[in-house]
Amino acid sequence: MLKNSLPKIISQTLPGPKAAAIIERRKNAVPNAIRCIYPCVMAKAEGAMIEDVDGNLFLDWVGGVGVLNIGHTHPDLVAAVQEQASKYFHGMFNIVTHEGYVKLAEKLNTLAPVRGLSKKTMFANSGAEADENAVKIAKSYTKRPNIIVFSGAFHGRTLLTMSMTSKKAYAAGMGPFPDGIYRAEFPYLYRTPGNLSGAQAIKYYMESLQKVFEEASPAQYVAAIVLEPLQGEGGFIPAPLQWVKAVRKVCDENGILLIADEVQTGFGRTGKLFASEYWKEAGCEPDIIATAKSIAGGVPLSAIIADSKIMDSVSTGIIGGTYGGNALACAAGLKVLEVIERDHLIERSNEIGKRCFAVFNSWKEKYEVIGDVRGLGAMIGIEFVTDKISKKPNSGLVNQLIRNTANHGLIIENAGVYNNVIRFLAPLVITDEQLNAGFEILENAIKEES
C-alpha cells in the first residue's frame, strides 16, 4: 500500500517526463505569482506519501502546509464525504439548516479552550476568512476600532489580513491598507536583542507592546490583540507562556479581547487539539480562536469560536457567507475529530515531536549551520545560520536543502522572516520507518550542501 511505502525516485531526472509536461502547461495557464519549485505532480496520495504521475514516491513533510494532520485520503474521511455527497452538497446556512453544521459547531464548542461557559462557533472557508471574521467579531463586541498584531505574523492574503501580516512580500504594491492595525514585537527568543533571556526578555517584549499604546493606539481604542500560539510563516516560533500570561493580563486590565490565530496550530499538530490548551492550563486562555487548515482534512473549512455573549454581540449581516459551513466540509470536519480521538493522534503528535527533537537537536550539536530547534508537539522548526556565533540567516542553504531532498524523495518547505527555517509538518499518521527515511535524506542533504 502506498501509505506504508518509503521514498523512491525512479525517474532519471526530476521532474519526470509526464510531470514536466504538466508543469509546462501550468506555466502557460496559471499566474507565475502562484509559485512552485517542487518537481512533483501528484497522481495519488495516502498517509504521508505521494506518488507522482511518473511513479516516483515522495515523503511529505509539508502536509499541504499543515492541512493533512490525519494524512492524505484517509479512508474514513473519503467515506464520510462520499456519504454526504450522496445526500446533498450544499445549502447556504442562511437559507436552510443542515445538521452537520450544528453538530460540528456543538462539538467544537465543547472542545475549544476559549473563555466562557457557553460558546458558539461560526464557519468560513479559509484561515484568512477566520482571522478576518474574528476581528469583526471583536470589534462588534468591544465597539473599538483598532487591533494589535506582531512582528513575524502571518494572517492571510485578504486586504485586512495582508495588513495584519508582518512580511510585506505578501502585500507588495497592494496599499493603501486599512487603518487601525498596529504592531508590537513578537518574542523571537533566539534573536532577542542583547541576548536577553528569561524574565528580562519577557520584560523587553512587553515594553514593546506598551509602546504601541503610547505611540500608536491608546489601550481604550484597541478591540483585540491577535497572535499565533506558534508562529508559522514567521519561523515556527512558540509564544512563551510567561509572555502570553502577561499579554492576557494587559487585555483583562484594558477590556481588550485576546484572539488566538490557530489556523496552522490546531487539530493535534502541537501535541494538544488546540495549542491554546497550553494557555488554558496556565490560566491565560484566549477569548476567540480562529482555526482552519487540518479542520476538515483538505476540504475548505475554517472556524471561529468564542463565548456566546461575544458572538451574539454581532449585528445581523456582519458575518456569514455563501459557502461557510458547506455540508461536505462539515461532514469532513466531524470525521477528522473522530479520527484524531479514536486513533490517538494527539498522543502520536507528541511521540513524533519527541523523536524529531531528539534527532534535530543531535544535528544541532554536530553541524555549525543549525542555530536553533524549536516548536511544540509535531510542529517544529530548524533554523539554519552561517555560524552559531553570528547567527547570520542562511537562506541559501535552506533553498539548496529543499532541492536536494526533493531529488531524493522528501518534500520539505522553508519558513521564517529570513526564509532560513525548515518546517516540519508531516502528517501525524507517518510511520516510524518513513520518519527515519526522512531523517536520513535530510541529514545527507545537510552534509552535502553545508
Side-chain angles (χ1 to χ4, degrees), residues 338-394:
E338 179 185 319
V339 169
I340 288 172
E341 181 179 6
R342 184 197 68 204
D343 295 349
H344 308 290
L345 293 186
I346 291 172
E347 292 87 343
R348 180 59 177 162
S349 176
N350 284 302
E351 291 171 3
I352 292 168
K354 287 176 183 176
R355 292 200 62 205
C356 287
F357 271 110
V359 171
F360 298 160
N361 278 316
S362 73
W363 295 351
K364 181 182 171 184
E365 297 300 315
K366 290 165 63 175
Y367 302 112
E368 181 69 12
V369 292
I370 296 180
D372 196 28
V373 176
R374 55 184 178 253
L376 291 170
M379 184 173 179
I380 304 166
I382 309 172
E383 179 158 357
F384 287 83
V385 294
T386 58
D387 62 274
K388 287 182 168 67
I389 295 175
S390 73
K391 298 183 181 179
K392 182 179 178 182
N394 201 339

Side-chain angles (χ1 to χ4, degrees), residues 3 21 26 44 72 77 130 183-184 242 265 312 327 338 346 398 411 428 433 448:
K3 69 177 181 180
R26 170 183 173 141
K44 58 182 178 179
H72 291 274
L77 185 59
R183 196 174 307 280
Q242 289 304 312
T265 57
D312 290 338
E338 179 185 319
I346 291 172
V398 167
I411 296 176
L428 302 179
E433 293 77 15
E448 291 173 17

Side-chain angles (χ1 to χ4, degrees), residues 138-363:
K139 289 184 175 183
S140 293
Y141 178 71
T142 62
K143 306 297 189 287
R144 298 177 179 183
N146 299 333
I147 61 170
I148 294 175
V149 291
F150 293 92
S151 59
F154 181 86
H155 297 294
R157 291 184 176 90
T158 64
L159 186 60
L160 177 65
T161 55
M162 276 195 302
S163 309
M164 295 166 64
T165 293
S166 174
K167 193 173 182 179
K168 291 311 172 194
Y170 292 109
M174 293 294 105
F177 298 110
D179 195 9
I181 301 167
Y182 303 103
R183 196 174 307 280
E185 281 194 72
F186 190 86
Y188 191 169
L189 297 183
Y190 179 64
R191 296 187 178 276
T192 301
N195 293 317
L196 300 175
S197 62
Q200 287 182 318
I202 301 303
K203 182 174 182 290
Y204 169 83
Y205 289 108
M206 289 308 297
E207 287 172 350
S208 170
L209 178 59
Q210 290 296 332
K211 282 184 180 179
V212 175
F213 296 142
E214 295 164 8
E215 299 173 3
S217 173
Q220 64 263 34
Y221 299 113
V222 175
I225 294 176
V226 187
L227 65 97
E228 299 157 88
L230 194 162
Q231 285 196 336
E233 296 295 324
F236 278 42
I237 306 167
L241 272 178
Q242 289 304 312
W243 176 75
V244 177
K245 289 174 73 173
V247 172
R248 175 78 265 184
K249 185 172 184 289
V250 167
C251 288
D252 291 342
E253 291 172 348
N254 293 280
I256 298 168
L257 298 185
L258 180 59
I259 298 175
D261 177 345
E262 291 238 35
V263 169
Q264 195 165 159
T265 57
F267 299 92
R269 174 52 52 183
T270 64
K272 302 280 190 183
L273 186 66
F274 293 101
S276 48
E277 288 180 43
Y278 293 105
W279 297 7
K280 185 172 183 178
E281 290 170 358
C284 52
E285 62 267 39
D287 297 293
I288 303 174
I289 287 176
T291 191
K293 295 285 190 183
S294 273
I295 186 173
V299 183
L301 184 68
S302 61
I304 307 91
I305 312 153
D307 183 88
S308 297
K309 67 178 183 296
I310 294 174
M311 282 295 203
D312 290 338
S313 69
V314 185
S315 300
T316 301
I318 298 294
I319 57 176
T322 301
Y323 293 106
N326 167 270
L328 296 178
C330 288
L334 285 163
K335 186 57 66 173
V336 164
L337 288 171
E338 179 185 319
V339 169
I340 288 172
E341 181 179 6
R342 184 197 68 204
D343 295 349
H344 308 290
L345 293 186
I346 291 172
E347 292 87 343
R348 180 59 177 162
S349 176
N350 284 302
E351 291 171 3
I352 292 168
K354 287 176 183 176
R355 292 200 62 205
C356 287
F357 271 110
V359 171
F360 298 160
N361 278 316
S362 73
W363 295 351

Side-chain angles (χ1 to χ4, degrees), residues 12 53 128 136 143 148 157 199 253 270 300 431 436 450:
Q12 290 186 342
V53 291
K136 289 197 290 185
K143 306 297 189 287
I148 294 175
R157 291 184 176 90
E253 291 172 348
T270 64
T431 68
N436 289 334
S450 62

Side-chain angles (χ1 to χ4, degrees), residues 50-129:
I50 299 170
E51 181 176 338
D52 81 350
V53 291
D54 294 290
N56 298 299
L57 303 183
F58 293 87
L59 175 59
D60 183 3
W61 272 18
V62 181
V65 193
V67 170
L68 298 163
N69 287 357
I70 71 164
H72 291 274
T73 58
H74 193 290
D76 292 352
L77 185 59
V78 172
V81 172
Q82 288 175 334
E83 181 183 359
Q84 179 58 53
S86 70
K87 299 174 181 176
Y88 52 88
F89 278 34
H90 178 70
M92 186 181 175
F93 205 64
N94 291 73
I95 306 299
V96 294
T97 298
H98 64 90
E99 190 181 9
Y101 192 120
V102 178
K103 286 178 67 176
L104 185 56
E106 289 172 337
K107 188 76 171 175
L108 289 174
N109 292 339
T110 67
L111 296 170
V114 294
R115 280 192 171 178
L117 297 176
S118 173
K119 302 163 190 175
K120 291 190 175 182
T121 293
M122 68 159 285
F123 295 113
N125 305 289
S126 69
E129 285 185 58

